[in-house]
Amino acid sequence: MSVQERKERERAERERLIVATARELAEQQGWDAVTTRRLAERIEYSQPVLYSHFRGKREIIGAVALEGAAELAAAVRAAASRANSPRERVAALARAYLDFAEHNPAVYDALFQLDGGLAYAQEDTPEPLKDAFAALLECLAEVTGDGVHPGMFTEVFWAALHGLATLTRAGRLLPEDAEPRVELLVDRLAMV
């Protein structure tokens, strides 16, 4: 291995450490606790080293969001792949999405609530974000219905899931009604 390859590998490892540490700190204490000073202390590197990877917290949030988008896409696809019918796939997608939001609140916030400097629904949208949307679209396209654009239907279904995730997390919805809400969403919006 050349010196250059070793340096590139070490740089990539440091970057993964920064992102993992930011994510862990955010999940434990919230995003307000994630500062470059605290991250530098936790990873035992100086702040200038941290800034050599990310210009600031915004870019770190963006990196966590991209990692989370890949995880969300994988979770949705895995859940949908175990289903045997269109209705089961849509319900599995909804449950996987809501489970992801519940079990990864800081990552969910990085993806959909905080400014990570990422472009959404544009030409320059990063691939992990496009792929997360594609994972939803793959499952929902088969239940879109006549005359409805699959992408638009996916946006509306996603918005409904996001609303459920956000309102549940904020304590605005009764947790014991989570499953009936999923059933209602699948039956009425997807109409399968």
Side-chain angles (χ1 to χ4, degrees), residues 156-168:
V156 171
F157 198 88
W158 170 30
L161 288 173
H162 176 70
L164 289 174
T166 303
L167 291 170
T168 300

Side-chain angles (χ1 to χ4, degrees), residues 151-187:
M152 186 177 293
F153 179 78
T154 301
E155 290 171 345
V156 171
F157 198 88
W158 170 30
L161 288 173
H162 176 70
L164 289 174
T166 303
L167 291 170
T168 300
R169 208 166 120 205
R172 305 289 198 281
L173 300 175
L174 295 172
E176 60 267 20
D177 290 338
E179 186 57 29
R181 278 189 209 97
V182 167
E183 295 296 323
L184 180 64
L185 181 64
V186 171
D187 289 341

Side-chain angles (χ1 to χ4, degrees), residues 99-116:
D99 286 347
F100 182 88
E102 178 185 352
H103 294 103
N104 303 282
V107 175
Y108 191 83
D109 285 348
L111 268 165
F112 302 120
Q113 303 287 91
L114 301 174
D115 179 9

Side-chain angles (χ1 to χ4, degrees), residues 126-142:
E127 282 305 313
L129 298 178
K130 288 179 180 179
D131 189 52
F133 186 79
L136 300 175
L137 180 63
E138 290 162 11
C139 183
L140 295 169
E142 70 180 325

Side-chain angles (χ1 to χ4, degrees), residues 74-135:
V76 165
R77 285 186 175 111
S81 73
R82 293 186 295 270
N84 296 317
S85 70
R87 186 190 189 293
E88 286 179 18
R89 274 188 287 285
V90 173
L93 172 151
R95 288 185 196 100
Y97 183 97
L98 295 171
D99 286 347
F100 182 88
E102 178 185 352
H103 294 103
N104 303 282
V107 175
Y108 191 83
D109 285 348
L111 268 165
F112 302 120
Q113 303 287 91
L114 301 174
D115 179 9
L118 303 173
Y120 285 78
Q122 297 175 23
E123 287 290 321
D124 59 342
T125 298
E127 282 305 313
L129 298 178
K130 288 179 180 179
D131 189 52
F133 186 79

